[in-house]
Coordinates of all heavy atoms in Angstrom, one line a residue:
M1 N 1.3 0.4 -18.0 CA 1.3 0.0 -16.6 C 0.1 0.5 -15.9 O -0.3 1.7 -16.1 CB 2.6 0.4 -15.9 CG 2.7 0.0 -14.4 SD 4.2 0.4 -13.6 CE 5.2 -1.0 -14.2
D2 N -0.5 -0.3 -15.1 CA -1.7 0.1 -14.3 C -1.3 1.3 -13.4 O -0.4 1.2 -12.6 CB -2.2 -1.1 -13.5 CG -3.5 -0.8 -12.8 OD1 -4.0 0.3 -12.9 OD2 -4.0 -1.8 -12.2
R3 N -2.2 2.3 -13.4 CA -2.0 3.5 -12.5 C -2.2 3.1 -11.1 O -1.6 3.8 -10.2 CB -3.0 4.6 -12.8 CG -2.6 5.5 -13.9 CD -3.7 6.6 -14.0 NE -3.4 7.5 -15.0 CZ -4.0 8.7 -15.1 NH1 -5.0 9.0 -14.2 NH2 -3.7 9.5 -16.0
H4 N -3.0 2.2 -10.8 CA -3.4 1.9 -9.5 C -3.2 0.4 -9.1 O -4.1 -0.4 -9.1 CB -4.9 2.2 -9.3 CG -5.2 3.6 -9.7 ND1 -4.7 4.7 -9.0 CD2 -6.0 4.1 -10.7 CE1 -5.1 5.8 -9.5 NE2 -5.9 5.5 -10.6
P5 N -1.9 0.1 -8.9 CA -1.6 -1.3 -8.6 C -2.2 -1.8 -7.3 O -2.5 -1.0 -6.4 CB -0.1 -1.3 -8.5 CG 0.3 0.1 -8.2 CD -0.7 0.9 -8.9
R6 N -2.5 -3.1 -7.3 CA -3.1 -3.7 -6.1 C -2.2 -4.9 -5.7 O -1.6 -5.5 -6.6 CB -4.5 -4.2 -6.4 CG -5.4 -3.0 -6.6 CD -6.7 -3.5 -7.3 NE -6.4 -3.9 -8.7 CZ -6.4 -3.1 -9.7 NH1 -6.5 -1.8 -9.6 NH2 -6.2 -3.5 -11.0
D7 N -2.2 -5.2 -4.4 CA -1.4 -6.4 -4.0 C -2.0 -6.9 -2.7 O -2.9 -6.3 -2.1 CB 0.0 -5.9 -3.7 CG 1.1 -7.0 -3.8 OD1 0.7 -8.2 -3.8 OD2 2.3 -6.7 -3.9
L8 N -1.5 -8.0 -2.3 CA -1.9 -8.6 -1.0 C -0.8 -8.5 0.0 O 0.4 -8.6 -0.3 CB -2.3 -10.1 -1.2 CG -3.4 -10.4 -2.2 CD1 -3.5 -11.9 -2.5 CD2 -4.7 -10.0 -1.6
A9 N -1.2 -8.2 1.3 CA -0.2 -8.1 2.3 C -0.9 -8.3 3.7 O -2.1 -8.2 3.8 CB 0.4 -6.7 2.3
Y10 N 0.0 -8.5 4.7 CA -0.5 -8.6 6.0 C -0.4 -7.3 6.7 O 0.6 -7.0 7.4 CB 0.3 -9.7 6.8 CG 0.2 -11.1 6.2 CD1 1.1 -11.6 5.4 CD2 -1.0 -11.8 6.6 CE1 0.9 -12.9 4.9 CE2 -1.1 -13.1 6.1 CZ -0.2 -13.6 5.2 OH -0.4 -14.9 4.7
I11 N -1.4 -6.5 6.6 CA -1.4 -5.1 7.1 C -1.7 -5.0 8.6 O -1.0 -4.2 9.3 CB -2.4 -4.2 6.3 CG1 -1.9 -4.1 4.8 CG2 -2.5 -2.8 6.9 CD1 -0.6 -3.6 4.5
D12 N -2.7 -5.7 9.0 CA -3.1 -5.5 10.4 C -2.6 -6.6 11.4 O -2.9 -6.6 12.5 CB -4.6 -5.4 10.5 CG -5.3 -6.6 10.0 OD1 -4.7 -7.6 9.5 OD2 -6.6 -6.6 10.0
G13 N -1.7 -7.5 10.8 CA -1.1 -8.5 11.7 C -1.9 -9.6 12.3 O -1.5 -10.2 13.2
D14 N -3.1 -9.8 11.6 CA -4.0 -10.8 12.2 C -3.8 -12.2 11.5 O -4.5 -13.1 11.8 CB -5.5 -10.4 12.0 CG -5.9 -10.3 10.6 OD1 -5.1 -10.4 9.7 OD2 -7.1 -10.0 10.4
G15 N -2.8 -12.3 10.6 CA -2.5 -13.5 9.9 C -3.4 -13.8 8.7 O -3.3 -14.8 8.1
I16 N -4.3 -12.9 8.4 CA -5.2 -13.0 7.2 C -4.8 -11.9 6.2 O -4.7 -10.7 6.6 CB -6.7 -12.8 7.6 CG1 -7.1 -13.9 8.7 CG2 -7.5 -12.9 6.4 CD1 -8.4 -13.7 9.2
L17 N -4.6 -12.3 5.0 CA -4.1 -11.4 4.0 C -5.2 -10.3 3.7 O -6.4 -10.5 3.8 CB -3.9 -12.1 2.6 CG -2.5 -12.8 2.5 CD1 -2.5 -13.7 1.3 CD2 -1.4 -11.8 2.5
D18 N -4.7 -9.1 3.5 CA -5.5 -7.9 3.2 C -5.2 -7.5 1.7 O -4.1 -7.7 1.2 CB -5.2 -6.8 4.2 CG -5.2 -7.3 5.6 OD1 -6.3 -7.8 6.0 OD2 -4.2 -7.2 6.3
V19 N -6.2 -6.8 1.1 CA -6.0 -6.3 -0.2 C -5.5 -4.8 -0.1 O -6.2 -4.0 0.6 CB -7.3 -6.3 -1.1 CG1 -7.0 -5.7 -2.5 CG2 -7.7 -7.8 -1.2
V20 N -4.4 -4.5 -0.7 CA -3.9 -3.1 -0.7 C -4.0 -2.5 -2.1 O -3.5 -3.2 -3.0 CB -2.4 -3.1 -0.2 CG1 -1.9 -1.7 -0.2 CG2 -2.3 -3.7 1.2
G21 N -4.5 -1.4 -2.2 CA -4.6 -0.7 -3.5 C -4.1 0.7 -3.4 O -4.3 1.4 -2.5
F22 N -3.3 1.1 -4.4 CA -2.7 2.4 -4.5 C -3.6 3.2 -5.4 O -3.6 3.0 -6.6 CB -1.3 2.4 -5.0 CG -0.3 1.7 -4.0 CD1 0.0 0.3 -4.2 CD2 0.2 2.4 -3.0 CE1 0.8 -0.3 -3.3 CE2 1.1 1.7 -2.1 CZ 1.4 0.4 -2.2
G23 N -4.3 4.2 -4.8 CA -5.3 5.0 -5.6 C -4.8 6.4 -5.8 O -3.7 6.7 -5.6
N24 N -5.8 7.2 -6.2 CA -5.4 8.6 -6.5 C -5.1 9.3 -5.2 O -4.2 10.1 -5.1 CB -6.6 9.3 -7.1 CG -6.8 9.0 -8.6 OD1 -5.8 8.7 -9.3 ND2 -8.0 9.0 -9.0
A25 N -5.8 9.0 -4.1 CA -5.7 9.8 -2.8 C -4.7 9.2 -1.9 O -4.4 9.8 -0.8 CB -7.1 9.9 -2.2
G26 N -4.3 8.0 -2.1 CA -3.4 7.3 -1.2 C -3.5 5.8 -1.2 O -3.8 5.2 -2.3
V27 N -3.4 5.2 -0.1 CA -3.4 3.7 0.0 C -4.7 3.2 0.6 O -5.1 3.7 1.7 CB -2.2 3.2 0.9 CG1 -2.2 1.7 0.9 CG2 -0.9 3.8 0.4
H28 N -5.4 2.4 -0.1 CA -6.7 1.8 0.3 C -6.4 0.4 0.8 O -5.7 -0.3 0.1 CB -7.7 1.8 -0.8 CG -8.0 3.2 -1.3 ND1 -9.0 4.0 -0.9 CD2 -7.3 4.0 -2.2 CE1 -9.0 5.1 -1.5 NE2 -8.0 5.2 -2.3
V29 N -7.1 0.0 1.8 CA -6.9 -1.4 2.3 C -8.3 -2.0 2.6 O -9.2 -1.3 3.2 CB -6.1 -1.4 3.7 CG1 -6.1 -2.8 4.2 CG2 -4.7 -0.9 3.5
A30 N -8.5 -3.2 2.0 CA -9.7 -4.0 2.4 C -9.1 -5.1 3.2 O -8.3 -5.9 2.8 CB -10.3 -4.5 1.1
Y31 N -9.6 -5.2 4.5 CA -9.1 -6.1 5.4 C -9.7 -7.5 5.3 O -11.0 -7.6 5.3 CB -9.3 -5.6 6.9 CG -8.5 -4.3 7.1 CD1 -9.1 -3.1 6.9 CD2 -7.1 -4.4 7.4 CE1 -8.3 -1.9 7.1 CE2 -6.4 -3.2 7.6 CZ -7.0 -2.0 7.5 OH -6.3 -0.9 7.7
G32 N -8.9 -8.5 5.2 CA -9.4 -9.9 5.1 C -10.0 -10.3 6.5 O -9.4 -10.0 7.5
D33 N -11.2 -10.9 6.4 CA -11.8 -11.3 7.7 C -12.5 -12.7 7.4 O -13.6 -12.7 6.9 CB -12.8 -10.3 8.1 CG -13.5 -10.7 9.4 OD1 -13.0 -11.5 10.2 OD2 -14.6 -10.1 9.7
D34 N -11.8 -13.8 7.6 CA -12.3 -15.1 7.3 C -12.6 -15.2 5.8 O -11.7 -15.2 5.0 CB -13.5 -15.5 8.1 CG -13.1 -15.7 9.6 OD1 -12.0 -16.2 9.8 OD2 -13.9 -15.5 10.5
N35 N -13.9 -15.2 5.4 CA -14.3 -15.4 4.0 C -14.6 -14.1 3.2 O -15.0 -14.2 2.0 CB -15.5 -16.3 3.9 CG -15.1 -17.7 4.5 OD1 -14.0 -18.2 4.3 ND2 -16.1 -18.3 5.2
V36 N -14.4 -12.9 3.8 CA -14.8 -11.7 3.1 C -13.7 -10.7 3.3 O -12.8 -10.8 4.2 CB -16.1 -11.1 3.6 CG1 -17.3 -12.1 3.4 CG2 -16.0 -10.8 5.1
F37 N -13.8 -9.6 2.5 CA -12.9 -8.5 2.7 C -13.8 -7.3 3.2 O -14.8 -7.1 2.7 CB -12.2 -8.0 1.4 CG -11.1 -9.0 1.0 CD1 -11.3 -9.9 0.0 CD2 -9.9 -9.0 1.7 CE1 -10.3 -10.9 -0.3 CE2 -8.9 -9.9 1.4 CZ -9.1 -10.8 0.4
V38 N -13.3 -6.6 4.2 CA -14.1 -5.5 4.8 C -13.4 -4.2 4.4 O -12.2 -4.0 4.5 CB -14.0 -5.6 6.4 CG1 -14.8 -4.4 7.0 CG2 -14.6 -6.9 6.8
G39 N -14.2 -3.4 3.8 CA -13.7 -2.1 3.3 C -13.9 -2.1 1.8 O -14.9 -2.6 1.3
P40 N -13.1 -1.4 1.0 CA -11.8 -0.8 1.4 C -12.0 0.6 2.2 O -13.0 1.2 2.1 CB -11.1 -0.6 0.1 CG -12.2 -0.3 -0.9 CD -13.3 -1.2 -0.4
E41 N -11.0 0.9 2.9 CA -10.9 2.2 3.5 C -9.6 2.9 3.2 O -8.6 2.2 2.8 CB -11.0 2.1 5.1 CG -9.8 1.5 5.7 CD -10.0 1.4 7.2 OE1 -11.1 1.0 7.7 OE2 -9.0 1.7 7.9
L42 N -9.6 4.2 3.2 CA -8.4 5.0 2.9 C -7.5 4.9 4.2 O -7.8 5.5 5.2 CB -8.7 6.4 2.6 CG -7.5 7.3 2.2 CD1 -6.8 6.8 0.9 CD2 -8.0 8.7 2.0
A43 N -6.4 4.1 4.1 CA -5.6 3.8 5.2 C -4.4 4.8 5.3 O -3.9 5.0 6.4 CB -5.0 2.4 5.1
S44 N -4.1 5.5 4.2 CA -3.0 6.5 4.2 C -3.3 7.5 3.1 O -3.7 7.1 2.0 CB -1.7 5.8 4.0 OG -0.7 6.7 3.8
T45 N -3.0 8.7 3.4 CA -3.1 9.7 2.3 C -1.7 9.9 1.6 O -1.6 10.8 0.8 CB -3.6 11.1 2.9 OG1 -2.7 11.5 3.9 CG2 -5.0 10.9 3.4
S46 N -0.8 9.1 1.9 CA 0.5 9.1 1.2 C 0.5 8.1 0.1 O -0.3 7.2 0.0 CB 1.6 8.7 2.2 OG 1.7 9.6 3.3
F47 N 1.5 8.3 -0.8 CA 1.7 7.3 -1.9 C 0.6 7.3 -3.0 O 0.5 6.3 -3.7 CB 2.0 5.9 -1.4 CG 3.1 5.8 -0.4 CD1 2.9 5.6 0.9 CD2 4.4 5.9 -0.9 CE1 4.0 5.5 1.8 CE2 5.5 5.8 0.0 CZ 5.3 5.7 1.4
G48 N -0.2 8.3 -3.1 CA -1.3 8.4 -4.1 C -0.8 8.9 -5.4 O 0.2 9.6 -5.5
W49 N -1.5 8.5 -6.4 CA -1.3 9.0 -7.8 C -1.3 10.5 -7.8 O -0.5 11.2 -8.5 CB -2.3 8.4 -8.8 CG -2.3 9.0 -10.1 CD1 -2.9 10.1 -10.6 CD2 -1.4 8.5 -11.2 NE1 -2.6 10.3 -11.9 CE2 -1.6 9.4 -12.3 CE3 -0.5 7.5 -11.3 CZ2 -1.0 9.2 -13.5 CZ3 0.1 7.3 -12.5 CH2 -0.1 8.2 -13.6
A50 N -2.2 11.2 -7.1 CA -2.4 12.6 -7.1 C -1.1 13.3 -6.6 O -0.9 14.5 -6.9 CB -3.6 13.0 -6.3
D51 N -0.3 12.6 -5.8 CA 0.9 13.2 -5.3 C 2.1 12.8 -6.1 O 3.3 13.0 -5.7 CB 1.2 12.7 -3.8 CG 0.2 13.3 -2.8 OD1 -0.3 14.5 -3.1 OD2 -0.1 12.7 -1.8
G52 N 1.9 12.3 -7.3 CA 2.9 12.0 -8.2 C 3.5 10.6 -8.2 O 4.5 10.4 -8.8
W53 N 2.8 9.7 -7.5 CA 3.4 8.4 -7.4 C 2.9 7.6 -8.6 O 2.0 6.8 -8.6 CB 2.9 7.7 -6.1 CG 3.6 8.3 -4.9 CD1 3.3 9.3 -4.1 CD2 4.9 7.8 -4.5 NE1 4.2 9.5 -3.2 CE2 5.3 8.6 -3.4 CE3 5.8 6.8 -4.9 CZ2 6.5 8.5 -2.7 CZ3 7.0 6.7 -4.2 CH2 7.3 7.5 -3.1
D54 N 3.6 7.8 -9.7 CA 3.4 7.1 -11.0 C 4.2 5.7 -10.9 O 5.4 5.7 -10.7 CB 4.0 7.9 -12.1 CG 3.9 7.3 -13.4 OD1 3.5 6.1 -13.5 OD2 4.1 7.9 -14.4
P55 N 3.5 4.6 -10.9 CA 4.2 3.3 -10.7 C 5.2 3.0 -11.8 O 6.1 2.2 -11.6 CB 3.0 2.3 -10.8 CG 1.8 3.0 -11.2 CD 2.1 4.5 -11.1
A56 N 5.1 3.7 -12.9 CA 6.1 3.5 -14.0 C 7.5 4.1 -13.6 O 8.5 3.7 -14.1 CB 5.6 4.0 -15.3
R57 N 7.4 5.1 -12.7 CA 8.7 5.8 -12.3 C 9.0 5.6 -10.9 O 10.2 5.6 -10.5 CB 8.5 7.3 -12.6 CG 8.3 7.6 -14.1 CD 8.0 9.1 -14.3 NE 9.3 9.8 -14.0 CZ 9.3 11.1 -13.8 NH1 8.2 11.8 -13.9 NH2 10.5 11.7 -13.5
Y58 N 8.0 5.5 -10.0 CA 8.3 5.4 -8.6 C 7.5 4.2 -8.0 O 6.4 4.4 -7.5 CB 7.8 6.7 -7.9 CG 8.4 8.0 -8.6 CD1 7.5 8.9 -9.2 CD2 9.7 8.2 -8.6 CE1 8.1 10.0 -9.8 CE2 10.3 9.3 -9.2 CZ 9.4 10.2 -9.8 OH 9.9 11.3 -10.4
P59 N 8.2 3.1 -8.0 CA 7.5 1.9 -7.5 C 7.2 1.9 -6.0 O 8.0 2.6 -5.2 CB 8.4 0.7 -7.8 CG 9.7 1.4 -8.0 CD 9.5 2.8 -8.5
R60 N 6.2 1.3 -5.6 CA 5.8 1.2 -4.1 C 5.7 -0.3 -3.9 O 5.0 -1.0 -4.6 CB 4.5 1.9 -3.8 CG 4.7 3.4 -4.0 CD 3.4 4.0 -4.3 NE 3.0 3.6 -5.7 CZ 1.9 3.9 -6.3 NH1 1.0 4.7 -5.7 NH2 1.6 3.5 -7.5
L61 N 6.3 -0.8 -2.8 CA 6.3 -2.2 -2.4 C 5.8 -2.3 -1.0 O 5.8 -1.4 -0.2 CB 7.7 -2.8 -2.6 CG 8.4 -2.7 -3.9 CD1 9.8 -3.2 -3.9 CD2 7.6 -3.4 -5.0
L62 N 5.4 -3.6 -0.7 CA 4.9 -3.9 0.6 C 5.9 -4.9 1.3 O 6.3 -5.9 0.6 CB 3.5 -4.5 0.5 CG 2.5 -3.5 -0.1 CD1 1.2 -4.3 -0.5 CD2 2.1 -2.4 0.8
G63 N 6.2 -4.7 2.5 CA 7.0 -5.6 3.2 C 7.1 -5.2 4.7 O 6.9 -4.0 5.0
D64 N 7.5 -6.1 5.5 CA 7.6 -5.8 7.0 C 8.9 -5.3 7.3 O 9.9 -6.0 7.6 CB 7.3 -7.1 7.8 CG 7.2 -6.8 9.3 OD1 7.3 -5.6 9.7 OD2 7.1 -7.8 10.0
V65 N 9.1 -4.0 7.2 CA 10.4 -3.3 7.4 C 10.9 -3.4 8.8 O 12.1 -3.5 9.0 CB 10.2 -1.8 6.9 CG1 11.5 -1.0 7.2 CG2 9.9 -1.8 5.4
N66 N 10.0 -3.3 9.8 CA 10.4 -3.2 11.2 C 10.2 -4.5 11.9 O 10.4 -4.5 13.2 CB 9.8 -2.0 11.9 CG 8.3 -2.1 11.9 OD1 7.7 -3.0 11.3 ND2 7.6 -1.3 12.7
G67 N 9.8 -5.5 11.3 CA 9.7 -6.9 11.9 C 8.6 -7.0 12.9 O 8.6 -7.9 13.8
D68 N 7.5 -6.2 12.8 CA 6.4 -6.3 13.8 C 5.3 -7.2 13.3 O 4.3 -7.3 14.0 CB 5.9 -4.9 14.2 CG 5.2 -4.2 13.0 OD1 5.2 -4.8 11.9 OD2 4.6 -3.2 13.3
G69 N 5.5 -7.9 12.2 CA 4.4 -8.8 11.7 C 3.4 -8.1 10.8 O 2.4 -8.7 10.3
R70 N 3.5 -6.8 10.6 CA 2.6 -6.0 9.8 C 3.4 -5.5 8.6 O 4.4 -4.8 8.8 CB 2.0 -4.9 10.5 CG 1.2 -5.3 11.7 CD 0.7 -4.1 12.5 NE -0.1 -4.5 13.6 CZ -1.2 -3.8 14.1 NH1 -1.5 -2.7 13.5 NH2 -1.8 -4.3 15.1
D71 N 2.9 -5.7 7.4 CA 3.6 -5.2 6.2 C 3.4 -3.7 6.1 O 2.4 -3.1 6.4 CB 3.0 -5.9 4.9 CG 3.5 -7.3 4.8 OD1 4.6 -7.6 5.3 OD2 2.7 -8.2 4.3
D72 N 4.5 -3.1 5.7 CA 4.6 -1.6 5.6 C 4.7 -1.2 4.1 O 5.0 -2.1 3.3 CB 5.8 -1.1 6.4 CG 5.8 -1.8 7.8 OD1 4.9 -1.6 8.5 OD2 6.8 -2.5 8.1
V73 N 4.5 0.0 3.8 CA 4.7 0.5 2.5 C 6.1 1.2 2.3 O 6.5 2.0 3.2 CB 3.6 1.6 2.1 CG1 3.8 2.1 0.7 CG2 2.2 1.0 2.3
V74 N 6.7 0.8 1.3 CA 8.0 1.4 0.9 C 7.9 2.0 -0.5 O 7.5 1.3 -1.4 CB 9.2 0.3 0.9 CG1 10.5 1.0 0.5 CG2 9.3 -0.3 2.3
G75 N 8.1 3.3 -0.6 CA 8.0 4.0 -1.9 C 9.4 4.5 -2.3 O 10.1 5.1 -1.5
F76 N 9.7 4.2 -3.6 CA 11.0 4.7 -4.1 C 10.7 5.9 -4.9 O 10.3 5.8 -6.1 CB 11.7 3.6 -4.9 CG 12.0 2.3 -4.1 CD1 11.1 1.3 -4.1 CD2 13.1 2.2 -3.4 CE1 11.3 0.1 -3.3 CE2 13.4 1.1 -2.6 CZ 12.5 0.1 -2.6
G77 N 11.0 7.1 -4.3 CA 10.7 8.3 -4.9 C 11.9 8.9 -5.8 O 12.8 8.2 -6.0
H78 N 11.7 10.1 -6.2 CA 12.7 10.7 -7.1 C 14.1 10.8 -6.5 O 15.1 10.5 -7.1 CB 12.2 12.1 -7.5 CG 13.2 12.8 -8.4 ND1 13.4 12.5 -9.7 CD2 13.9 13.9 -8.2 CE1 14.3 13.3 -10.2 NE2 14.6 14.2 -9.3
S79 N 14.1 11.2 -5.2 CA 15.4 11.5 -4.5 C 15.5 10.8 -3.2 O 16.5 11.0 -2.5 CB 15.6 13.0 -4.3 OG 14.5 13.5 -3.6
A80 N 14.5 10.0 -2.8 CA 14.6 9.3 -1.5 C 13.7 8.1 -1.5 O 12.8 7.9 -2.4 CB 14.1 10.3 -0.4
T81 N 13.9 7.2 -0.5 CA 13.0 6.1 -0.3 C 12.2 6.4 1.0 O 12.7 6.8 2.0 CB 13.9 4.8 0.0 OG1 14.7 4.6 -1.2 CG2 13.0 3.6 0.3
Y82 N 10.9 6.2 0.9 CA 10.0 6.6 1.9 C 9.4 5.3 2.5 O 9.1 4.4 1.8 CB 8.8 7.5 1.4 CG 9.4 8.8 0.8 CD1 9.7 8.8 -0.6 CD2 9.5 9.9 1.6 CE1 10.2 10.0 -1.1 CE2 10.0 11.1 1.0 CZ 10.3 11.1 -0.3 OH 10.8 12.3 -0.8
V83 N 9.2 5.3 3.8 CA 8.5 4.2 4.5 C 7.4 4.7 5.3 O 7.5 5.7 6.0 CB 9.6 3.4 5.4 CG1 8.9 2.3 6.2 CG2 10.7 2.9 4.6
E84 N 6.2 4.0 5.2 CA 5.1 4.2 6.1 C 4.8 2.9 6.8 O 4.5 1.9 6.2 CB 3.9 4.8 5.4 CG 2.8 5.1 6.4 CD 1.8 6.2 5.8 OE1 2.3 7.1 5.1 OE2 0.6 6.0 6.1
L85 N 4.9 2.9 8.1 CA 4.7 1.7 8.9 C 3.2 1.5 9.0 O 2.4 2.4 9.1 CB 5.3 1.9 10.3 CG 6.8 2.1 10.3 CD1 7.3 2.3 11.7 CD2 7.6 0.9 9.7
S86 N 2.8 0.2 9.1 CA 1.4 -0.1 9.3 C 1.0 0.2 10.7 O 1.7 0.2 11.6 CB 1.2 -1.6 9.0 OG 1.3 -1.9 7.7
Ligands
CA1 CA1 -5.2 -8.9 7.9
CA2 CA1 5.9 -3.6 9.9

């Protein structure tokens, strides 16, 4: 399994998909802007490989948990489920 999964999500709520990558240091986002992606930038220092977020054991998903139109990160950890809002 890939250590650093990537996905598409609506992170900034502008209606244009963004690229989300789970890296060593956290969550990176390249924001979609018409025909290009801007970034990536480190959007969160949570959910990184360096903090033990091995996708084979602790999956992280994207979805709009609070209904504000921006996709959030949900991580299923060893003993809890963690949410970081966009
Ligand atoms: Ca966007
Ligand atoms: Ca949200």
Side-chain angles (χ1 to χ4, degrees):
M1 178 173 278
D2 187 355
R3 276 187 178 192
H4 305 298
R6 293 160 294 274
D7 205 345
L8 298 170
Y10 294 101
I11 296 299
D12 59 1
D14 65 357
I16 300 173
L17 280 168
D18 310 302
V19 178
V20 179
F22 294 95
N24 285 329
V27 182
H28 301 263
V29 177
Y31 296 96
D33 183 17
D34 291 329
N35 297 322
V36 299
F37 288 102
V38 178
E41 69 180 44
L42 183 62
S44 171
T45 56
S46 300
F47 302 108
W49 173 267
D51 288 333
W53 286 95
D54 178 351
R57 299 178 65 196
Y58 308 117
R60 293 151 296 179
L61 301 176
L62 300 164
D64 186 7
V65 173
N66 62 350
D68 67 354
R70 298 174 179 217
D71 287 326
D72 313 301
V73 180
V74 179
F76 299 94
H78 178 72
S79 59
T81 300
Y82 300 89
V83 175
E84 184 157 321
L85 300 176
S86 288

